[in-house]
Structures are given as structure tokens and as C-alpha cells.
Amino acid sequence: MTQTQDELIDFLISAKLHTYASQGDTASVPPLLQGGSQLEYRQGAWFYRDIYFGMAYFIGQEVVYRAEQPFFSMVYGGGMLTPQPTAQEMEDVYGCLQAAMRQVQPDRPFRGPQAFCQGEYEYHDESQGMVDNFWGVETITRQGLAVYRLRYSGGLIR
């Protein structure tokens, strides 16, 4: 791994902790794309932007810029598996998701840890690859039944 990739990983962790993982949608800025939600974070030469659409089921993209140039990106899509989830169900599941994402680790800086529990919810993440080229699936279960699933992939922009 290069020094720049190490800097990217440190920045990704910081960006995730300063946006959705800790603040949810309250970290939003006015979206560039109509109908979307947008989260941003800047630290030195690094800039993070996450734009997504939807809530119960959502699709989005994270882009990290270094010195104003696109350097890294991740796309993702998923959400609640219940066709008509209640507001309380979404609050509980997304609360578990945010808590899991606050546990992001340098060896897997894409989403949360491999396993995490909060109350009756269990978060699991399976990923392949490293920060330069990766994909994965995260799932949240309640009493053994999957209630949320998200697929993601990304890597360095070359």
C-alpha cells in the first residue's frame, strides 16, 4: 500500500465519522442533483462527497477528491427488505447501521465491521479486495431474519 492510499484510508474513516455515521442526514448540504441528499466533508487537500437518492431503498455514490481531482469512488444500493417498513422500523435499522459505520476499520474502510450487534439487530459485512478495488454486501438481521441489505463496490480511480 502506498503512502497516498494510507492517507486516503485515514481520510475515509474521518469523513464517514463526520457525516452519515454520526450525523445521518443532518450533515446534508444542498444537493447538486435534484431529489438527492448530499453529505460533504473536507480535510486539507482531501474532499468527500456522498450523494444518494431514496430512503427505504436508496442508491448512491461516494467520491473522494485529492487536490481537486477524483481519486476514489464507491457506488452502493440497497435498503429495507420489508416492502412497506414503518418509520420506527427504519429508525431502528438505520440506527444500527449508523452505529456499525462508526466502527469502520482501516483494513476495511468501506462500510462497518464484519460483525456488530445493537440490541436485537445484528450487522454483518462481507467484502472482497482492498481500497484500490473492492466489493461487498452488508446485511442487518433481526431475530435471525434479514431486514436490510446493501451491495457496494469501488476503488481507486485510474
Side-chain angles (χ1 to χ4, degrees), residues 56-57 80-86 89-90 147:
Y57 186 88
M80 300 293 295
L81 298 176
T82 307
Q84 299 290 326
T86 67
E89 287 172 320
M90 289 197 313
V147 294

Side-chain angles (χ1 to χ4, degrees), residues 72-84:
F72 167 91
S73 185
M74 180 180 80
V75 294
Y76 57 88
M80 300 293 295
L81 298 176
T82 307
Q84 299 290 326

Side-chain angles (χ1 to χ4, degrees), residues 74-157:
M74 180 180 80
V75 294
Y76 57 88
M80 300 293 295
L81 298 176
T82 307
Q84 299 290 326
T86 67
Q88 186 62 56
E89 287 172 320
M90 289 197 313
E91 183 179 325
D92 293 345
V93 168
Y94 292 151
C96 175
L97 176 62
Q98 286 179 280
M101 289 182 65
R102 287 192 295 272
Q103 306 301 314
V104 62
Q105 298 294 310
D107 61 331
R108 305 172 71 253
F110 328 119
R111 300 294 290 172
Q114 287 182 305
F116 174 81
C117 293
Q118 178 171 295
E120 56 189 70
Y121 292 93
E122 294 183 24
Y123 171 95
H124 298 279
D125 183 65
E126 297 179 25
S127 65
Q128 299 290 318
M130 301 300 285
V131 73
D132 62 325
N133 183 6
F134 63 90
W135 63 269
V137 178
E138 70 182 8
T139 305
I140 296 176
T141 60
R142 179 177 181 240
Q143 299 174 346
L145 297 173
V147 294
Y148 163 93
R149 183 169 295 117
L150 177 124
R151 291 173 174 81
Y152 61 90
S153 65
L156 299 180
I157 299 171

